[in-house]
């Protein structure tokens, strides 16, 4: 009966699966208005936050925000050499953004900074010193409680990079692990992945064969172990990882055809396999960071019809590769950077160059919901109880997130059968990775079939719910 009801709605309203579309939200202007974005976007409600490598008052980049409809672009803070030029990836906690600069700061070797989402309260938490606490922090920080975790690509005791932690107020900086190149890797690349009390990551170089490795380590610095050593004859120089359940995914140079590949490995270190080889046939090469959304991997790669880069997707089992979009430098931008930032109806992203001023763009790639999305009931789907929901009896929904074991802010969104968002709320999970969504307004839960989505840690999970 439920499937019949769903099919009836599709007949009445038409098949809601439409061709996904690219839309440009903003062309960077340069000068004091910032240019050349430098990392992934952070989504909070209807606002996106990001960083640029160039432009601003001092010419060293800055931090910006923009509404998801492309309005309200605002430069929150301009960086200079002493404050930490060329800022990189941001992470959000409450109304505070934390980020890194790989260069400059007081010692010209990078720093960690924080800033409120309204642009006030900018301050440095840590200045790196290559001989003391490492140098060149790279990639987003990871937050657990009131502790930030990250990696430096150089410096520390052996000069091959380190993993560190620091409190959100800047106190308690500790190097929890030093890399030594040949035995355990060199030049770790952020962001790290946190699952429970274990950090997972990749090094660009070093390891047994000198071409990088995958590793895990406890948050207290104990239990370091390599999960996989790369070598030049197969794959090398892995990108940062993404986690889905107990499987880690990433991309690497090389592969069978020498232009890059996608791989997976279990968090235990078992089951390494190459999922996909890029080639001229696929129209792309050199894949970058990945994003997980409902058992698909989405990402950027070089090449394409215009040789300006592409967006692709592939199932987490390695099947179903599809090139979704070819960038064209003069119109849609070129050289996409970082990872796609998921929302419940698509993705947001950045290109370093191209667009109207050839200084980079902010874009949205819309992916309207399909019948397959509403029918999804896979092992990694968002768990919802009760389902179906009887609003005259229930006053809340219990949610379970398969790979969360710590308190984490999660954005919950509801969409109707037409894919229209009509409800959103940020909740905090408990120590077991569960959360509760109050049914605050019965009008938001009228009888019907809906999509409930959860966005956290650059990941999207969803499931169908039925209200009776």
């Amino acid at each position: 009966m439920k499937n019949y009801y769903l099919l009836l709605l599709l007949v009445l309203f038409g098949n809601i699966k439409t061709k996904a579309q690219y839309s440009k939200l903003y062309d960077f202007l340069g000068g004091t208005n910032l240019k050349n974005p430098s990392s992934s976007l952070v989504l909070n409600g209807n606002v996106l936050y990001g960083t640029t490598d160039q432009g601003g008052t001092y010419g060293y980049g800055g931090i910006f925000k923009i509404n998801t409809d492309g309005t309200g672009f605002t430069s929150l803070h301009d960086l200079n050499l002493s404050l930490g030029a060329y800022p990189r990836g941001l992470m959000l906690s409450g109304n505070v953004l934390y980020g890194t600069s790989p260069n400059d700061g007081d010692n010209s070797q990078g720093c960690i900074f924080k800033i409120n989402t309204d642009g006030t309260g900018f301050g440095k938490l840590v200045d790196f010193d290559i001989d003391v606490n490492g140098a060149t922090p790279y990639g987003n920080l990871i937050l657990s409680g009131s502790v930030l975790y990250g990696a430096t690509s150089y410096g520390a005791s052996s000069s091959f990079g380190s993993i560190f932690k620091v409190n959100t107020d800047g106190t308690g900086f500790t190097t929890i692990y030093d890399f030594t190149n040949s035995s355990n890797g060199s030049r770790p690349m952020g962001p790290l992945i946190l699952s429970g009390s274990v950090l997972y990551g990749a090094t660009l170089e070093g390891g047994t064969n000198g071409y990088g490795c995958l590793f895990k380590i406890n948050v207290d610095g104990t239990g370091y172990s390599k999960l996989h050593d790369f070598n030049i004859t197969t794959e090398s120089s892995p990108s940062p990882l993404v986690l889905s359940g107990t499987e880690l995914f990433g991309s690497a140079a090389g592969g069978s055809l020498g232009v890059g590949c996608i791989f997976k490995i279990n968090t235990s270190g078992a089951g390494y396999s190459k999922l996909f080889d890029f080639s001229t046939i696929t129209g792309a090469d050199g894949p970058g960071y990945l994003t997980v959304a409902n058992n698909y991997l989405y990402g950027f790669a070089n090449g394409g019809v215009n040789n300006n880069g592409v967006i692709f997707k592939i199932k987490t089992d390695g099947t179903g590769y599809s090139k979704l979009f070819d960038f064209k430098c003069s119109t849609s931008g070129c050289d996409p950077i970082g990872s796609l930032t998921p929302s419940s109806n698509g993705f947001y992203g950045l290109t370093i160059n191209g667009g109207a001023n050839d200084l980079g763009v902010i874009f949205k790639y819309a992916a309207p919901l399909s019948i397959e999305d509403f029918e999804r009931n896979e092992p990694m789907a968002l768990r919802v109880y009760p389902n179906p929901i009887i609003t005259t009896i229930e006053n809340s929904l219990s949610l379970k997130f398969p790979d969360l074991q710590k308190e984490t802010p999660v954005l919950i969104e509801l969409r109707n059968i037409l894919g229209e968002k009509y409800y959103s709320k940020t909740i905090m999970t408990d120590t077991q990775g569960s959360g509760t969504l109050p049914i605050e307004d019965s009008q938001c839960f009228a009888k019907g079939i809906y999509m409930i989505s959860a966005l956290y840690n650059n990941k999207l999970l969803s499931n169908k719910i039925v209200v009776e």
Side-chain angles (χ1 to χ4, degrees):
M1 180 60 69
K2 293 170 186 173
N3 287 338
Y4 173 79
Y5 178 53
L6 178 58
L7 291 172
L8 177 61
L9 286 174
L10 289 174
V11 171
L12 292 174
F13 295 110
N15 190 339
I16 62 172
K17 185 174 184 178
T18 59
K19 184 178 180 180
Q21 293 184 342
Y22 170 98
S23 59
K24 186 169 59 174
L25 300 180
Y26 183 78
D27 283 289
F28 285 91
L29 301 175
T32 59
N33 294 295
L34 303 179
K35 62 180 180 179
N36 306 120
S38 55
S39 60
S40 308
L41 294 163
V42 173
L43 174 65
N44 184 33
N46 294 318
V47 181
L48 295 159
Y49 299 90
T51 60
T52 71
D53 243 351
Q54 305 291 328
T57 302
Y58 310 103
Y60 295 102
I63 304 159
F64 66 84
K65 70 176 182 180
I66 186 171
N67 297 326
T68 52
D69 64 0
T71 63
F73 181 92
T74 304
S75 176
L76 296 177
H77 196 79
D78 292 324
L79 278 297
N80 60 38
L81 291 177
S82 65
L83 294 178
Y86 317 117
R88 287 294 186 268
L90 299 174
M91 67 84 53
L92 177 69
S93 177
N95 65 345
V96 181
L97 293 159
Y98 299 90
T100 60
S101 166
N103 304 293
D104 299 302
D106 285 354
N107 303 310
S108 299
Q109 290 164 356
C111 66
I112 300 171
F113 61 83
K114 71 174 182 179
I115 185 172
N116 296 327
T117 52
D118 63 2
T120 64
F122 179 89
K124 287 188 296 180
L125 299 180
V126 176
D127 274 295
F128 286 92
D129 186 327
I130 192 167
D131 296 321
V132 178
N133 57 4
T136 318
Y138 200 91
N140 300 52
L141 300 163
I142 297 295
L143 179 67
S144 178
S146 60
V147 180
L148 297 162
Y149 296 89
T152 66
S153 295
Y154 298 98
S157 62
S158 299
S159 300
F160 294 108
S162 66
I163 300 172
F164 63 81
K165 68 177 181 179
V166 62
N167 297 326
T168 52
D169 62 3
T171 63
F173 182 94
T174 304
T175 297
I176 65 173
Y177 193 76
D178 283 303
F179 289 86
T180 58
N181 195 23
S182 60
S183 63
N184 61 2
S186 169
R187 295 188 64 196
M189 302 295 289
L192 302 170
I193 297 294
L194 175 64
S195 179
S197 60
V198 181
L199 295 163
Y200 299 89
T203 71
L204 193 62
E205 299 173 356
T208 301
N209 305 308
Y211 292 96
C213 66
L214 308 178
F215 64 86
K216 68 177 181 179
I217 185 172
N218 297 326
V219 293
D220 62 2
T222 64
Y224 176 91
S225 65
K226 282 189 300 182
L227 302 178
H228 184 74
D229 278 296
F230 290 86
N231 65 75
I232 192 62
T233 59
T234 53
E235 301 88 54
S236 62
S237 304
S239 72
L241 303 171
V242 293
L243 175 68
S244 181
T246 60
E247 292 183 315
L248 296 159
F249 299 86
S251 62
S256 298
L257 302 172
V259 291
C261 64
I262 296 172
F263 63 84
K264 73 173 181 179
I265 189 171
N266 295 329
T267 52
S268 65
Y272 177 87
S273 64
K274 188 172 56 175
L275 295 179
F276 187 76
D277 280 298
F278 285 82
S279 69
T280 55
I281 297 174
T282 62
D285 59 67
Y289 295 8
L290 301 173
T291 295
V292 182
N294 293 330
N295 295 287
Y296 273 90
L297 299 168
Y298 293 81
F300 299 127
N302 300 324
V305 172
N306 305 305
N307 203 32
N308 295 152
V310 305
I311 301 172
F312 68 85
K313 74 173 183 178
I314 186 172
K315 290 182 179 179
T316 53
D317 64 3
T319 63
Y321 172 86
S322 175
K323 187 174 65 169
L324 301 176
F325 183 75
D326 281 282
F327 288 93
K328 186 175 182 180
C329 208
S330 59
T331 55
S332 55
C334 52
D335 306 319
I337 187 172
S339 59
L340 288 161
T341 298
S343 72
S344 58
N345 68 334
F347 301 89
Y348 297 93
L350 298 160
T351 71
I352 302 175
N353 301 305
N357 306 305
D358 198 22
L359 299 173
V361 306
I362 303 171
F363 68 86
K364 179 178 181 179
Y365 185 79
L369 299 175
S370 68
I371 181 66
E372 289 84 0
D373 292 317
F374 275 87
E375 287 297 315
R376 190 179 304 282
N377 189 24
E378 298 171 341
M380 279 302 295
L382 175 66
R383 312 295 170 79
V384 184
Y385 178 83
N387 192 13
I389 306 156
I390 303 175
T391 56
T392 57
I393 299 176
E394 310 292 343
N395 57 16
S396 65
L397 292 177
S398 295
L399 307 174
K400 176 64 178 176
F401 310 91
D403 57 349
L404 283 182
Q405 300 177 32
K406 290 282 187 179
E407 298 94 334
T408 302
V410 178
L411 178 62
I412 304 296
E413 295 184 346
L414 293 175
R415 291 182 177 269
N416 61 23
I417 192 69
L418 300 177
E420 299 166 335
K421 182 175 72 173
Y422 66 91
Y423 181 86
S424 66
K425 185 179 181 68
T426 298
I427 65 171
M428 183 67 70
T429 63
D430 59 24
T431 56
Q432 302 303 312
S434 300
T436 300
L437 180 69
I439 301 177
E440 300 165 320
D441 185 350
S442 61
Q443 292 181 350
C444 291
F445 292 87
K447 292 183 179 180
I449 299 175
Y450 304 93
M451 172 69 78
I452 183 169
S453 298
L455 294 93
Y456 59 96
N457 296 343
N458 208 32
K459 181 182 295 185
L460 170 68
L461 293 181
S462 62
N463 213 331
K464 176 183 67 177
I465 59 174
V466 178
V467 179
E468 295 181 345

